[in-house]
Amino acid sequence: MVREEDILQKLESHQLRKTAFRKEVLELFMASEGEALSNQELESQLDNPDRITLYRTLKAFEDKGLIHLAADSGGISRYALCLADCTTHAHHDQHAHFQCRTCGKTICLEGEVVIRAQAPAGYKVERENLTLEGLCDECI
Ligand SMILES: [Zn+2]
Ligand SMILES: [Zn+2]
Ligand SMILES: [Zn+2]
């Protein structure tokens, strides 16, 4: 059970307006216990799902360091609550993700990830992203 005061406090500390919709979306993330959620999963759990509002809400949450893109495959984006001290200015989520190839369940993994690969000169890396793929404990 997620406490309302924790939801409000999180929105406030990330300088987000406390609308009913945002509270509801954040509650779903806080209740998901490290599991990443797709737009579709969020929509199916919202009382009043509005695609555009949800899109804007996710964008705002990401911009303010509240959630991060955990997986982006097969045309489905999944977002997870930030664990580290992400802020309005920067994400510090240097972790890998695990994605189940059967059910798509995606979770944040513990442990720091160091990527030694180097992009060619003149290239600009925008996101470091390591995904371990396989089967989750329910699909194995
Ligand atoms: Zn983050
Ligand atoms: Zn699975
Ligand atoms: Zn993550």
Side-chain angles (χ1 to χ4, degrees), residues 2-84:
V2 183
R3 292 191 310 170
E4 171 147 19
E5 56 189 280
D6 292 338
I7 299 170
L8 293 175
Q9 198 262 325
K10 243 188 202 308
L11 287 173
E12 204 169 281
S13 65
H14 287 83
Q15 292 145 44
L16 286 156
R17 275 186 305 119
K18 290 168 269 186
T19 65
F21 192 86
R22 286 178 176 184
K23 277 161 61 180
E24 206 184 343
V25 174
L26 182 54
E27 182 172 7
L28 292 176
F29 277 110
M30 290 170 80
S32 75
E33 294 176 344
E35 193 177 320
L37 300 171
S38 67
N39 283 46
Q40 224 173 11
E41 285 162 345
L42 289 163
E43 273 174 35
S44 71
Q45 293 180 73
L46 289 168
D47 285 342
N48 198 356
D50 177 78
R51 199 158 284 191
I52 306 288
T53 312
L54 180 60
Y55 173 81
R56 291 206 186 112
T57 300
L58 293 176
K59 183 89 185 60
F61 280 10
E62 190 182 20
D63 286 348
K64 298 288 186 182
L66 201 52
I67 60 171
H68 60 277
L69 189 63
D72 198 3
S73 64
I76 302 172
S77 304
R78 287 187 161 81
Y79 291 89
L81 206 58
C82 289
L83 305 169

Side-chain angles (χ1 to χ4, degrees), residues 71-118:
D72 198 3
S73 64
I76 302 172
S77 304
R78 287 187 161 81
Y79 291 89
L81 206 58
C82 289
L83 305 169
D85 51 341
C86 294
T87 65
T88 323
H89 307 291
H91 279 276
H92 305 283
D93 303 288
Q94 294 292 0
H95 60 262
H97 295 93
F98 178 92
Q99 185 165 47
C100 175
R101 65 177 158 84
T102 301
C103 69
K105 178 176 178 174
T106 306
I107 58 168
C108 298
L109 299 179
E110 285 177 26
E112 195 191 353
V113 174
V114 180
I115 297 177
R116 294 208 168 81
Q118 292 205 334

